[in-house]
Amino acid sequence: MAMISYSTIVVALLASFMICSVSANFQRDVEITWGDGRGQITNNGDLLTLSLDKASGSGFQSKNEYLFGKIDMQIKLVAGNSAGTVTAYYLKSPGSTWDEIDFEFLGNLSGDPYTLHTNVFTQGKGDREQQFKLWFDPTSDFHTYSILWNPQRIIFSPMRMYSSLWNAEEWATRGGLVKTDWSKAPFTASYRGFNEEACVVINGQSSCPNVSGQGSTGSWLSQELDSTGQEQMRWVQNNYMIYNYCTDAKRFPQGLPRECLAA
């Protein structure tokens, strides 16, 4: 494992409608891990839903473990008054010194935008939060969210894909000022179009024997943000970023993290 810079990970904030069919099957590719029946796979494995009520939320994880890869998921978030709810979509390695790449969608009152909270952990240490107000309605239809990580500038332990829907009314919406309205429960998030282009780890061995190479393993293995992607990311940061750990000097009185100084 290695220390990382947030900017070296291609975390794609894609808001595109999926127009092509996909071959993913939730019955084959994931397992519902908690929720006592609140997570459901339907439509012959094409659709997965997670629900949250006052008793519990729910969650699932990928059956595969990945060393590097590009993971796509189409998600339709909780509609209406979703204050206090968190829909998490992330990759995480096991253990007390874990690696993790986070998307956390923080619900809000009807008509107010969701907040996207992102973070990166390495060796169990995070403190790399950024937050954005979404510039589109993530509840009106499915949108594709992609996480891409490769060996060009960063090394991770093998990770699984996870997602969950849970209650965090003590902090999620306006720092906990707005609580969950349980009269609106159950809250439901829907998933489809799970796609993995990845180095799958089986019995400790990666399916990509030469991760430094290109070719048949896919362009994602050496992909970086091109000039167009960098321009789009700057547009998002300039117009919709509401928190950036690299500008929070009060949080780091001993000095900003080194990746912020190098950015």
Side-chain angles (χ1 to χ4, degrees):
M1 293 181 291
M3 290 300 295
I4 59 174
S5 165
Y6 189 97
S7 62
T8 62
I9 299 177
V10 181
V11 179
L13 310 179
L14 299 181
S16 60
F17 294 104
M18 202 68 171
I19 58 175
C20 61
S21 61
V22 294
S23 59
N25 186 288
F26 285 116
Q27 291 176 336
R28 179 192 65 217
D29 298 330
V30 309
E31 55 184 342
I32 296 174
T33 51
W34 63 284
D36 194 24
R38 292 173 180 82
Q40 297 285 331
I41 297 175
T42 58
N43 291 6
N44 295 317
D46 291 336
L47 181 70
L48 187 153
T49 57
L50 296 180
S51 292
L52 164 70
D53 58 30
K54 199 167 186 178
S56 179
S58 49
F60 68 93
Q61 71 178 41
S62 64
K63 292 182 179 178
N64 284 331
E65 194 172 51
Y66 315 104
L67 182 58
F68 300 108
K70 181 176 182 287
I71 306 296
D72 303 318
M73 182 74 76
Q74 296 177 58
I75 307 175
K76 183 163 64 174
L77 296 177
V78 175
N81 184 354
S82 58
T85 69
V86 175
T87 305
Y89 164 50
Y90 60 104
L91 294 130
K92 184 177 182 292
S93 65
S96 59
T97 55
W98 73 98
D99 299 324
E100 185 173 339
I101 305 173
D102 281 349
F103 279 153
E104 289 186 332
F105 300 93
L106 312 185
N108 215 329
L109 295 169
S110 298
D112 290 341
Y114 265 75
T115 295
L116 172 61
H117 179 100
T118 66
N119 203 347
V120 174
F121 287 77
T122 180
Q123 300 181 19
K125 297 179 181 180
D127 294 335
R128 294 176 174 87
E129 295 97 336
Q130 293 183 342
Q131 289 188 344
F132 306 82
K133 291 293 184 184
L134 293 184
W135 57 97
F136 56 94
D137 182 357
T139 72
S140 63
D141 208 330
F142 288 89
H143 292 75
T144 301
Y145 303 91
S146 300
I147 302 176
L148 187 153
W149 77 110
N150 59 33
Q152 300 307 304
R153 302 182 184 176
I154 181 171
I155 299 175
F156 274 113
S157 294
M159 299 189 288
R160 293 185 189 273
M161 184 278 295
Y162 297 84
S163 191
S164 59
L165 175 59
W166 48 287
N167 177 39
E169 63 179 0
E170 70 277 7
W171 65 268
T173 305
R174 300 180 192 173
L177 294 176
V178 182
K179 303 301 183 181
T180 305
D181 182 356
W182 293 110
S183 69
K184 306 297 184 183
F187 303 98
T188 301
S190 301
Y191 301 75
R192 71 182 188 190
F194 172 52
N195 185 60
E196 56 181 43
E197 298 178 58
C199 299
V200 177
V201 178
I202 302 175
N203 296 324
Q205 299 296 318
S206 170
S207 62
C208 303
N210 179 14
V211 296
S212 63
Q214 299 184 26
S216 61
T217 52
S219 61
W220 59 266
L221 198 57
S222 58
Q223 183 176 339
E224 298 182 36
L225 283 177
D226 58 17
S227 58
T228 300
Q230 292 175 13
E231 183 177 343
Q232 291 172 338
M233 185 62 73
R234 283 193 294 269
W235 177 81
V236 172
Q237 292 171 333
N238 291 336
N239 291 281
Y240 297 99
M241 179 179 284
I242 57 176
Y243 178 80
N244 182 5
Y245 77 104
C246 276
T247 61
D248 193 347
K250 292 182 179 179
R251 185 175 177 182
F252 302 100
Q254 303 303 318
L256 292 173
R258 62 185 183 184
E259 68 266 18
C260 297
L261 302 176

